[in-house]
Amino acid sequence: LAELAADLAALRPFWHPVAYAAELGEEPLGVTVLGEPVVVHRDGDDVRAFRDLCPHRGSKLSLGRVIEGRLTCPYHGFRYDGSGRCVLIPSQPPDHQVIPSRLRLQAYAAQECHGIVWVALEEPRLPVPACPLLYETGFHSFSPASITWRTSAARWMENFLDMTHFAHVHPGILADPEEPVVAPYEVHLTPTGLTYEFALRQQLDPARWPTSTGGVLEMEDAYAFYELFLPFTISIVTDTPGEGRWAIWTAGLPVGPAEVRLFFVVSRDYLLEEADEPFADAVFAIADQDRPIAENQHPEMLPVDLTEEVHLRVGDAVGLAYRRQLREIGLTYA
Ligand code: FES
Ligand SMILES: [Fe+2]
């Protein structure tokens, strides 16, 4: 796995979600991106991100504090400005500061967007994925707590894309277990990923998913529109006849080769007065059905080389397209 992890370097020039904006207060926050410890902190209206390592004696800056707007190392109190330059060494007289030029933190691009803090370890190749329904009038959106899966980000993503497992892993929720056949669907490649759509046969049980009638809802002709943003953001927008439109937008942080942390925006334009919790519970219930499968796939990282696993032309069309796009990014395992 350590060998495979080296492959993740191809993911450095992309924006990765690292925390909900609400989780980032005044103090520095330590996160891990592609196996690399990163410290993020607020600097006025800006968000800053640095390698979580003080060049003086290798301390973790995320154990420190922000003092007078400066990221301050917990060990000897060196302070660093927004560019990562050391601006104060407390053991030296204030009027006689001799600051070695190499006392500079490795800075990364950082920004806040959609209520999430994003970091790119190298000049990003694509913008932060769009999340249009978050800003659409008539829609209510909220972000359930983030969750962690012990598998690679690409294994998680492919599980999200895969619809031939619905009848087996999510019977009675996402598919009818008696109807496992998946009709052909078309995958459209976009400059930022891909899209596809298909009719869903869902059964919404109000015990699991709120319905406006309070009764069980058979969705013979619900419609799901998927949009994937490379490398690890996916949105599914579903039109449920008689109810409305709801969407689950999920962005995955590749913490390391076998750990992904998921951030969500869940939107709907109906049942606006209802509490959000039942909708969040439904998302987590579905995720918990997938989790034991995904966390036990082997290898943990998804083989991008198409000869390593066996593919079905119709059912796996989107997985195949996704693996090709990962290969174009330069990955062999993801
Ligand atoms: S290790 Fe950071 S100031 Fe000494
Ligand atoms: Fe699933």
Side-chain angles (χ1 to χ4, degrees), residues 159 162 165-166 169-170 174 286 290:
N159 170 270
D162 179 300
H165 78 278
F166 286 179
V169 181
H170 313 292
L174 295 181
I286 292 170
D290 287 312

Side-chain angles (χ1 to χ4, degrees), residues 50-216:
F50 303 99
R51 187 170 180 212
D52 195 0
L53 186 91
C54 177
H56 178 225
R57 289 292 181 267
S59 293
K60 247 187 169 13
L61 293 158
S62 56
L63 299 176
R65 298 171 53 197
V66 174
I67 300 176
E68 291 168 8
R70 308 292 198 201
L71 182 58
T72 303
C73 180
Y75 200 177
H76 310 97
F78 291 16
R79 295 187 194 177
Y80 296 92
D81 72 8
S83 73
R85 197 170 56 94
C86 181
V87 291
L88 181 76
I89 297 178
S91 63
Q92 297 177 350
D95 56 352
H96 193 73
Q97 290 277 308
V98 181
I99 300 181
S101 59
R102 285 181 55 220
L103 269 183
R104 184 178 270 283
L105 307 181
Q106 168 72 53
Y108 300 125
Q111 64 167 301
E112 192 177 323
C113 192
H114 315 322
I116 292 170
V117 177
W118 301 77
V119 168
L121 301 183
E122 287 172 20
E123 184 63 27
R125 289 167 55 173
L126 294 173
V128 165
C131 185
L133 291 188
L134 179 57
Y135 308 99
E136 185 89 14
T137 46
F139 279 82
H140 168 72
S141 297
F142 71 103
S143 288
S146 65
I147 58 174
T148 295
W149 277 19
R150 302 260 159 217
T151 189
S152 77
R155 283 285 195 200
W156 158 74
M157 173 62 89
E158 206 177 68
N159 170 270
F160 202 112
L161 302 176
D162 179 300
M163 74 283 282
T164 57
H165 78 278
F166 286 179
H168 313 282
V169 181
H170 313 292
I173 303 180
L174 295 181
D176 180 343
E178 304 303 319
E179 306 241 0
V181 175
V182 168
Y185 58 95
E186 258 182 66
V187 179
H188 302 275
L189 303 185
T190 70
T192 52
L194 56 82
T195 65
Y196 62 103
E197 50 198 87
F198 62 89
L200 272 178
R201 276 181 66 97
Q202 282 186 301
Q203 189 185 57
L204 297 186
D205 179 342
R208 285 190 290 231
W209 184 273
T211 62
S212 44
T213 59
V216 173

